[in-house]
């Protein structure tokens, strides 16, 4: 069986950037897309904050272009999902991966870029209006609601950070926290409570998102009194956490308490030699396309250096 120099798992900005760098370094990478080719950016509309696109670009187009760029240098892109891995634990060892389609792969290096998935509440009205005013990324989509009234759900650091971000752009932000307190750090909580145009509602959950094609409002419910209230909004941001896509690696790679892969220092090295992680799967702080792309580049360079070390 052929032994690949580099196998890349995942097809978001991290995976494709790793592929571009690995292909240009003659590592002949093979990239498995997973079941959501293109990753999270394929679920957003306009991407306005990726450098180099002065007019912005829609997420799916950007991902097709990244794929084309990776293929131009010889990356082989395969549409399938890796469903099991057996990592070698010694330097120079051969890592194995098995696809859902039944292929067994052997590789000297593996770059994991399987990303993270935003959590949603799961309400039918929320799901129906995803892309029509319901978003899980304020930094990506907040700008589209400039001067308008929006709401955000969640009480963690992400929700607090995104609420204050939105408050700078939007006329008013209603923040729904389901308990009588926020989980966010005290400093972040102070920022929220000191921002005059954030209307903070404790013990409050969404009963229904209103609107047919686009978000027009929200029916909120106080989970103590059962009282409901309708507000008019044009955008709803869900900030109740992300789940890194790491089930596949449980028991083999070091993860933090939330399941994110742990990398060493400023590198993309995991605890196993020849296995590298880039993008949101190892980053719960920044989670941007451009930071994911940056770490994808780092992972390819780390893989190339590792191969030089073991091959001499
Ligand atoms: P968290 O898991 O910390 O917080 C999730 C929030 O969403 C909680 O307030 C939780 O409520 C709420 N929530 C969960 N499910 C529901 C639901 N079904 N309905 C309503 N509310 C719900 O996620 P974050 O994304 O905020 O943060 C993840 C990690 O990243 C944390 O460790 C955080 O500290 C870190 N982070 C750090 C930042 C920074 O330092 N600048 C910025 C962003 C994130 P409840 O409390 O009731 O469970």
């Amino acid at each position: 069986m052929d032994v690949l120099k580099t196998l890349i798992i995942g097809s978001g900005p991290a995976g494709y950037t790793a592929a571009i760098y690995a292909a240009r370094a003659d590592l002949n990478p093979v990239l498995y897309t997973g079941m959501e080719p293109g990753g999270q950016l394929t679920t957003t509309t306009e991407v306005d904050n990726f450098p180099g696109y002065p007019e912005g670009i829609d997420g799916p187009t950007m991902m097709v272009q990244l794929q084309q760029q990776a293929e131009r240098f010889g990356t082989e892109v395969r549409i399938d999902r890796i469903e099991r891995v057996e990592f070698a634990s010694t330097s120079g060892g051969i890592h194995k991966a098995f696809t859902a389609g039944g292929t067994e792969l052997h590789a000297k290096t593996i770059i994991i870029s399987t990303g993270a998935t935003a959590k949603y509440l799961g309400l039918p009205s929320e799901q129906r209006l995803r892309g029509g005013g319901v978003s899980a990324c304020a930094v990506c989509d907040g700008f589209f609601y400039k001067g308008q009234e929006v709401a955000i759900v969640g009480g963690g650091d992400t929700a607090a950070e995104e609420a204050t971000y939105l408050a700078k752009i939007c006329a008013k932000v209603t923040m729904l926290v389901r308990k009588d307190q926020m989980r966010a750090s005290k400093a972040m909580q102070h920022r929220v409570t000191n921002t005059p145009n954030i209307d903070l509602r404790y013990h409050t959950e969404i009963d229904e998102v209103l609107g047919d094609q686009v978000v027009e409002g929200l029916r909120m419910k106080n989970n103590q009194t059962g009282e409901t209230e309708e507000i008019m909004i044009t955008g709803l941001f869900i900030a109740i956490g992300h789940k890194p896509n790491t089930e596949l690696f449980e028991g083999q790679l070091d993860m933090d308490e939330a399941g994110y892969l742990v990398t060493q220092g400023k590198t993309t090295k995991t605890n196993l030699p020849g296995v590298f992680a880039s993008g949101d799967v190892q980053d719960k702080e920044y989670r941007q396309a451009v930071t994911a792309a940056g770490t994808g580049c780092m992972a390819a360079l780390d893989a190339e250096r590792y191969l030089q070390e073991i091959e001499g």
Side-chain angles (χ1 to χ4, degrees):
M1 185 180 295
D2 284 349
V3 178
L4 304 173
K5 283 188 185 163
T6 301
L7 171 65
I8 299 169
I9 312 177
S11 56
Y16 280 132
T17 306
I20 292 165
Y21 275 76
R24 285 170 54 85
D26 284 340
L27 303 186
N28 306 321
V30 172
L31 180 149
Y32 275 79
T33 61
M35 281 318 172
E36 194 187 0
Q40 292 179 79
L41 277 188
T42 56
T43 62
T44 51
T45 44
E46 203 74 1
V47 179
D48 272 339
N49 54 8
F50 201 93
Y53 294 99
E55 307 302 327
I57 183 166
D58 70 279
T61 304
M62 185 181 168
M63 296 320 299
V64 168
Q65 291 185 351
L66 274 172
Q67 177 176 343
Q68 288 169 343
Q69 193 174 353
E71 286 176 331
R72 185 178 140 215
F73 299 109
T75 303
E76 189 181 333
V77 176
R78 297 183 185 165
I79 300 171
D80 201 350
R81 187 170 58 87
I82 303 293
E83 64 175 17
R84 191 164 67 82
V85 289
E86 278 174 27
F87 291 139
S89 55
T90 51
S91 186
I94 301 298
H95 306 293
K96 294 181 187 169
F98 304 85
T99 73
T103 305
E104 178 173 341
L105 301 152
H106 291 185
K108 290 181 184 170
T109 65
I110 296 196
I111 295 174
I112 299 168
S113 312
T114 48
T117 306
K119 292 185 196 161
Y120 283 87
L121 300 165
L123 295 169
S125 55
E126 171 211 51
Q127 291 302 308
R128 184 166 46 81
L129 291 165
R130 272 174 68 176
V134 174
S135 163
C137 181
V139 179
C140 320
D141 298 329
F143 185 75
F144 302 118
Y145 304 95
K146 198 171 180 177
Q148 300 172 33
E149 298 199 4
V150 300
I152 185 162
V153 187
D157 279 323
T158 302
E161 196 169 82
E162 296 201 340
T164 48
Y165 176 85
L166 289 167
K168 291 193 194 120
I169 306 169
C170 304
K172 183 181 172 189
V173 181
T174 303
M175 182 169 180
L176 284 66
V177 177
R178 65 180 173 182
K179 289 190 185 142
D180 62 349
Q181 58 184 21
M182 280 189 252
R183 193 190 293 192
S185 63
K186 286 281 178 273
M188 289 304 297
Q189 292 192 32
H190 287 144
R191 274 217 249 165
V192 168
T193 50
N194 287 333
T195 305
N197 60 337
I198 298 180
D199 178 9
L200 180 58
R201 306 289 191 101
Y202 288 113
H203 283 308
T204 305
E205 296 179 43
I206 296 182
D207 197 37
E208 191 172 351
V209 191
L210 307 172
D212 279 337
Q213 305 294 321
V214 292
V215 172
E216 290 166 11
L218 200 61
R219 189 165 60 240
M220 312 185 289
K221 188 175 180 179
N222 183 304
N223 59 24
Q224 299 288 290
T225 63
E227 252 174 66
T228 59
E229 179 185 341
E230 287 187 10
I231 55 169
M232 308 277 279
I233 52 159
T234 49
L236 171 65
F237 293 88
I238 311 292
I240 61 170
H242 284 72
K243 194 176 173 307
N245 300 320
T246 53
E247 292 92 343
L248 190 56
F249 313 112
E250 271 168 20
Q252 298 191 62
L253 293 181
D254 288 349
M255 299 178 191
D256 70 9
E257 65 293 341
Y260 286 86
L261 296 182
V262 174
T263 50
Q264 296 172 18
K266 287 183 180 171
T267 75
T268 62
K269 294 175 187 171
T270 67
N271 54 304
L272 292 181
V275 182
F276 307 91
S278 62
D280 287 12
V281 73
Q282 52 84 56
D283 170 24
K284 65 183 173 202
E285 285 288 329
Y286 303 104
R287 294 196 297 252
Q288 300 301 300
V290 67
T291 50
T295 55
C297 157
M298 289 161 61
L301 295 178
D302 285 339
E304 188 186 355
R305 285 177 195 149
Y306 168 82
L307 285 168
Q308 269 164 10
E309 274 167 32
I310 62 166
E311 288 170 351

